[in-house]
């Protein structure tokens, strides 16, 4: 058994002190800091944040030798008779993301995977963690099981294993909070950081989303959540966005202005995105935290855990996140179709989607997704997005079959069966999932997997949407800020039409971030990193770039002057005919087909036929 003590020591230096006590060590005991955190598939090497480390046994100092990047070997004797081993180390905590540890005078946040050493001799042994209260009025919030804690939440917690211990992030500070019930269990929602959000509205909307997911997986049975309680930990910031799922909690980061405004009943795009994030991470409570790929049963946090199934676990979650926001009535049909149109636009504009399949994107997450470079749009595509398109296509295909077979399952039925066969049993989903999905969907999905999951083809979206009375349409990009999802008039040429994505943040001159493969800019020899000086002899800046380009037509040529590695160059770019790379969806108005209306309503409501 291992016991940990965590102390918030030095807020100015962002230092946390940790003590680890092993009651019955083995000879030459080894301890290890995880190299990655489940849910974020990149080796982040948390051991780099350990500043000092020492060890003792029965009060006498012993050696603590580092034997690889994240493992220490202790020069200790074996057995309880030799006495317990105590390891003390100091941790640097200045990671503002949801994946690490953060500590200053305003807030403390701890992801245990980034803070606590593992007893390699007994990784499945029970653990306890004492959180020592700092000398202030902070409170503590975590989903970890309390053993003996005070009214503020500080004290001792317990976990059945190290895997459980690192799956409960800890939020400390002077946060806002509220409670609600969903799935028959209490939910605690913490908000740290300065904000002026309408928490009553956030509470009501979050409750609807959580209850919706509980109902989805329960179907006709009592809609009970798969945990005894749940904790949301939202950090409101200026410009961050993201989330990380845990077995009974989630850590979220979002712009403070995305929270709903007091007195404003409308839904902004930022708030809609926040609700989608809440929905996404909560759905993970079933899909990936309990319905897992076999490669994650159990997790090995010392090295990469390869799977080709992230399209299922992240992609299907990315499909159900916004869909559930629609199903519980928080956004309109038109708003949801706009979101789908924008996602489909991302697919159309990504050359990498023609190169990297959903299964390959999943397998290469460790070296590609979290390490995008200037060529990323041309060489890879998100398994989140690709997987969500797989789910969308499969759901539409299965629901269309219901026209002729009232007993045919839907994707909702498939998720419930995955829960029964894998989530409730703890058995891992096999890597070769084609046979499994063919059985669950009652369809031969051999060709579907070959084309859309293991291959890089796209479904015929127009044909898939048609039975639901939805038109799938394509148009040219209207402007550099055009994200798709709705009809917009064309504003002639723009940087996106040329195949350039430009950033000006902190730069004296606009700098090319990405050049799309085989675009006009690519053919002219413009490259990522080039600093734009002038277009057609006129200075290039944020205000004039779009205006200059709008005066050119397809077939015209213009001179683009740019610096590359401090050398001035001029490229001749031919304005192309704008490609049809922007998607939007609309509901057919006439003639009204009762069957298509019913299909669409069943899909968007999740109600049974």
């Amino acid at each position: 058994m291992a016991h940990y003590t965590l102390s918030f020591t030095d807020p100015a230096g962002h230092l946390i002190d940790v003590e680890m006590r092993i009651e019955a060590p083995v000879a030459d005991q080894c301890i290890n800091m995880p190299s990655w955190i489940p849910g974020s598939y990149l080796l982040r090497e948390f051991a780099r944040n350990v500043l000092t480390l020492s060890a003792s046994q029965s009060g006498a100092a012993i050696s603590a030798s580092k034997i690889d990047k994240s493992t220490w070997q202790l020069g200790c004797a074996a057995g309880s008779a030799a006495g317990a081993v105590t390891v003390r180390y100091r941790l640097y905590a200045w990671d503002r993301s949801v994946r690490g540890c953060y500590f200053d005078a305003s807030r403390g946040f701890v992801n245990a995977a980034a803070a606590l050493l593992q007893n390699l001799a007994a990784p499945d042994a029970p653990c306890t963690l004492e959180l020592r209260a700092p000398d202030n009025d902070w409170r503590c919030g975590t989903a970890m099981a309390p053993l003996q804690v005070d009214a503020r939440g500080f004290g001792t917690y317990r976990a059945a294993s190290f895997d459980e211990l690192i799956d409960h992030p800890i939020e400390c500070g002077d946060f806002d909070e509220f409670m609600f019930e969903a799935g028959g269990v209490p939910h605690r929602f913490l908000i740290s950081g300065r904000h002026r959000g309408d928490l009553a509205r956030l509470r009501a909307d979050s409750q609807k989303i959580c209850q919706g997911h509980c109902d989805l997986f329960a179907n006709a049975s009592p809609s009970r959540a798969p945990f005894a309680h749940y904790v949301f930990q939202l950090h409101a910031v200026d410009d961050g966005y993201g989330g990380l799922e845990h077995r009974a909690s989630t850590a979220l980061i979002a712009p403070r202005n995305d929270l709903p405004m007091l007195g404003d009943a409308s839904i902004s795009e930022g708030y809609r995105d926040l609700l989608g994030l809440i929905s996404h991470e909560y759905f993970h409570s079933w899909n990936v935290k309990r319905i897992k790929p076999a490669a994650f049963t159990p997790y090995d946090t010392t090295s990469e855990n390869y799977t080709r199934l992230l399209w299922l676990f992240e992609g299907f979650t990315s499909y159900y996140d916004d869909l559930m926001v629609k199903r519980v009535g928080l956004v309109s049909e038109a708003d949801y179709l706009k979101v789908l149109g924008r996602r489909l636009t991302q697919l159309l504009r990504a050359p990498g989607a023609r190169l990297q399949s959903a299964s390959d994107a999943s397998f290469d997450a460790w070296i590609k997704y979290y390490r995008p470079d200037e060529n990323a749009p041309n060489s890879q595509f998100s398994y989140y997005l690709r997987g969500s398109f797989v789910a969308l296509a499969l759901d539409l295909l299965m629901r269309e079959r219901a026209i002729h077979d009232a007993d045919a399952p839907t994707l909702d039925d498939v998720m419930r069966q995955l829960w029964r066969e894998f989530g409730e049993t703890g058995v891992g989903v096999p890597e070769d999932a084609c046979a499994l999905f063919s059985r669950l969907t009652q369809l031969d999905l051999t060709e579907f997997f070959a084309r859309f999951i293991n291959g890089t083809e796209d479904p015929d979206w127009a044909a898939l949407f048609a039975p639901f009375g939805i038109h799938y349409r394509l148009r040219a990009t209207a402007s550099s800020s055009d994200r798709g999802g709705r009809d917009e008039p064309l504003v002639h040429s723009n940087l996106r039409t040329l195949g350039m994505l430009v950033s000006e943040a902190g730069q004296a001159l606009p700098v090319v971030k990405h050049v799309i493969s085989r675009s006009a800019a690519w053919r002219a020899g413009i490259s990522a990193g080039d600093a734009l000086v002038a277009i057609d002899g006129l200075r290039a800046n944020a205000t004039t770039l779009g205006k200059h380009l709008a005066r050119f037509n397809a077939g015209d040529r213009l001179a683009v002057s740019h610096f590359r590695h401090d050398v001035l160059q001029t490229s001749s770019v031919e304005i192309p005919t704008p490609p049809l790379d922007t998607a939007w969806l609309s509901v057919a108005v006439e003639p009204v087909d009762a069957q298509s209306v019913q299909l669409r309503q069943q899909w968007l409501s999740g109600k049974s036929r």
Side-chain angles (χ1 to χ4, degrees), residues 349 474-479 482 488-490 497 577-582:
R349 293 177 179 175
L474 299 178
R475 59 173 175 79
T477 303
S479 66
D482 181 9
E488 288 189 30
L490 179 63
T497 301
T577 299
L580 301 179
D581 62 357
T582 305

Side-chain angles (χ1 to χ4, degrees), residues 74-367:
L74 310 178
C76 60
S80 57
V85 164
T86 300
V87 180
R88 295 181 176 88
Y89 57 100
R90 178 159 286 184
L91 200 71
Y92 181 65
W94 197 235
D95 183 346
R96 202 185 188 195
S97 77
V98 297
R99 298 175 293 269
C101 300
Y102 180 93
F103 175 44
D104 65 7
S106 66
R107 174 179 181 252
F109 178 75
V110 176
N111 252 317
L116 302 183
L117 292 163
Q118 180 179 16
N119 176 0
L120 292 182
D124 297 324
C127 306
T128 56
L129 170 64
E130 179 188 354
L131 296 173
R132 290 185 175 171
D135 187 19
N136 55 34
D137 296 329
W138 280 7
R139 287 167 291 135
C140 174
T142 180
M144 197 179 304
L147 193 60
Q148 186 175 0
V149 301
D150 62 21
R152 293 192 293 154
F154 291 97
T156 304
Y157 293 82
R158 59 182 172 83
S161 64
F162 185 78
D163 181 66
E164 180 181 324
L165 179 70
I166 65 173
D167 215 6
H168 296 291
I170 301 158
E171 180 72 46
C172 300
D174 184 20
F175 44 73
D176 295 320
E177 65 176 299
F178 54 77
M179 298 284 294
F180 62 84
E181 183 176 294
V185 304
H187 289 59
R188 185 183 184 191
F189 204 121
L190 316 179
I191 305 99
S192 63
R194 295 183 61 180
H195 69 90
R196 294 179 60 83
D198 182 347
L199 299 190
R201 182 180 178 189
L202 179 62
R203 176 184 181 275
D205 293 348
S206 299
Q207 193 278 336
K208 290 178 182 178
I209 290 169
C210 294
Q211 188 62 56
H213 285 305
C214 291
D215 292 343
L216 166 65
F217 280 96
N219 198 15
S221 60
S223 55
R224 183 126 188 125
F227 32 70
H229 56 275
Y230 194 88
V231 179
F232 288 96
Q233 300 166 335
L234 171 61
H235 185 36
V237 296
D238 47 357
D239 59 356
Y241 182 83
L244 186 62
E245 70 276 4
H246 298 274
R247 66 181 60 194
S249 60
T250 182
L252 309 171
I253 185 169
R256 56 178 56 90
N257 291 324
D258 282 0
L259 272 69
M261 291 179 59
L262 284 165
D264 185 358
S266 65
I267 182 167
S268 66
E269 288 196 2
Y271 185 46
R272 186 184 64 205
D273 290 344
L274 175 58
L275 293 178
L277 178 64
I278 290 168
S279 181
H280 182 101
E281 302 305 335
Y282 195 74
F283 189 84
H284 271 317
S285 301
W286 291 265
N287 195 38
V288 90
K289 295 313 298 181
R290 290 166 175 84
I291 308 170
K292 297 181 180 180
F296 293 173
T297 53
Y299 292 111
D300 176 4
T301 57
T302 65
S303 62
E304 298 92 338
N305 293 190
Y306 291 101
T307 176
R308 291 187 175 275
L309 297 178
L310 293 182
W311 57 266
L312 166 60
F313 295 101
E314 292 293 353
F316 276 44
T317 303
S318 294
Y319 171 63
Y320 273 102
D321 54 16
D322 288 318
L323 179 59
M324 185 55 69
V325 176
K326 166 64 187 77
R327 283 181 172 181
V328 299
L330 298 179
V331 297
S332 66
E333 178 180 85
D335 280 341
Y336 179 65
L337 293 181
K338 179 180 177 181
V339 170
L340 279 186
R342 286 185 168 181
R343 289 189 172 186
L344 289 164
T345 297
Q346 290 179 273
L347 174 65
L348 290 168
R349 293 177 179 175
R354 312 281 79 79
L355 193 64
Q356 189 181 48
S357 69
S359 60
D360 285 345
S362 301
F363 193 82
D364 280 342
W366 299 95
I367 60 172

Side-chain angles (χ1 to χ4, degrees), residues 396-442:
L396 296 179
L397 186 66
M398 295 174 70
R399 288 181 179 275
E400 182 188 0
R401 184 180 51 170
I403 297 174
H404 310 290
D405 182 358
D407 296 324
T410 66
L411 193 62
D412 294 351
D413 297 315
V414 170
M415 294 309 303
R416 285 189 280 268
Q417 191 59 33
L418 287 172
W419 171 244
R420 287 189 288 268
E421 292 189 24
F422 301 97
E424 293 185 324
T425 65
V427 175
V429 177
E431 284 295 300
D432 184 6
C434 182
L436 169 66
F437 269 78
S438 293
R439 173 171 62 83
L440 296 182
T441 61
Q442 300 175 18

Side-chain angles (χ1 to χ4, degrees), residues 400-552:
E400 182 188 0
R401 184 180 51 170
I403 297 174
H404 310 290
D405 182 358
D407 296 324
T410 66
L411 193 62
D412 294 351
D413 297 315
V414 170
M415 294 309 303
R416 285 189 280 268
Q417 191 59 33
L418 287 172
W419 171 244
R420 287 189 288 268
E421 292 189 24
F422 301 97
E424 293 185 324
T425 65
V427 175
V429 177
E431 284 295 300
D432 184 6
C434 182
L436 169 66
F437 269 78
S438 293
R439 173 171 62 83
L440 296 182
T441 61
Q442 300 175 18
L443 294 167
D444 182 356
L445 294 179
T446 304
E447 183 180 357
F448 186 94
F449 267 70
R451 295 175 62 192
F452 308 132
I453 297 174
N454 299 321
T456 59
E457 293 184 53
D458 295 329
D460 184 341
W461 294 114
L464 283 173
F465 281 117
F468 295 80
I470 297 173
H471 294 308
Y472 170 77
R473 302 171 189 245
L474 299 178
R475 59 173 175 79
T477 303
S479 66
S480 293
S481 60
D482 181 9
R483 296 166 57 194
R486 63 183 182 184
D487 194 17
E488 288 189 30
L490 179 63
V491 189
H492 298 291
S493 303
N494 55 68
L495 287 173
R496 188 177 294 280
T497 301
L498 299 184
M500 290 191 293
L501 284 81
V502 173
S503 172
E504 290 189 82
Q507 304 287 341
L509 296 171
V511 175
V512 178
K513 288 179 59 179
H514 306 289
V515 175
I516 301 304
S517 177
R518 307 193 182 284
S519 65
W522 180 84
R523 288 192 296 271
I526 296 174
S527 298
D530 289 353
L532 300 182
V533 178
I535 291 182
D536 195 37
L538 297 174
R539 181 179 177 182
N541 58 43
T543 304
T544 61
L545 273 174
K547 293 180 179 179
H548 290 342
L549 289 171
R551 296 179 179 274
F552 290 86

Side-chain angles (χ1 to χ4, degrees), residues 524 526 533-534 536-537 558-563 567-573:
I526 296 174
V533 178
D536 195 37
L558 69 156
V560 177
S561 300
H562 51 93
F563 280 113
V567 177
L568 183 62
Q569 300 182 8
T570 299
S571 299
S572 178
V573 181

